[in-house]
């Protein structure tokens, strides 16, 4: 059975939307991994500064204006390690709109 223009439009739009969703998910995981690595480096640097302050009786500041608490590193590491678990599949779309394609929309890049 041939697909109507409505169904073809849905498949085209869904394909592009899923591709964008997947790409964004990958980018988020890469950035979260970088954030975890930076946070671990920051923790190591803070420990060194604290040890220097203890050994030499100095008062080097261990915090900067750019430091932000993003929560426990293990939470971020778990987020970075997650995979695309939600496999989005095409829905079986009924031939709505009498089979005619819907008007173009900017949100779909059309």
């Amino acid at each position: 059975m041939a697909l109507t223009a409505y169904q073809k439009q849905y498949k085209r739009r869904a394909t592009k939307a899923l591709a964008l969703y997947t790409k964004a998910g990958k980018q988020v995981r890469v950035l979260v991994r970088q954030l975890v690595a930076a946070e671990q480096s920051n923790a190591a640097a803070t420990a060194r500064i604290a040890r220097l302050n203890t050994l030499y009786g100095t008062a080097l500041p261990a915090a900067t204006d750019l430091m932000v608490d993003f929560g426990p590193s293990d939470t971020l590491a778990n987020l970075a390690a997650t995979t695309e678990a939600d496999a989005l599949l095409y829905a079986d779309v009924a031939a709505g709109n009498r089979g005619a394609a819907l008007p173009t929309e900017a949100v779909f890049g059309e």
Side-chain angles (χ1 to χ4, degrees), residues 24-90:
K26 288 177 184 177
Q27 289 174 336
V28 166
R29 282 189 296 283
V30 165
L31 293 172
V32 168
R33 281 189 209 103
Q34 290 175 353
L35 180 60
V36 168
E39 191 178 52
Q40 290 169 345
S41 295
N42 181 49
T46 301
R48 286 184 183 199
I49 289 172
R51 185 68 179 143
L52 281 171
N53 286 340
T54 302
L55 288 174
Y56 297 102
T58 57
L60 290 173
T64 68
D65 293 340
L66 299 177
M67 293 175 72
V68 176
D69 184 15
F70 290 102
S73 289
D74 57 339
T75 302
L76 289 174
N78 289 339
L79 180 61
T82 59
T83 58
E84 281 297 319
D86 27 1
L88 298 175
L89 303 174
Y90 293 118

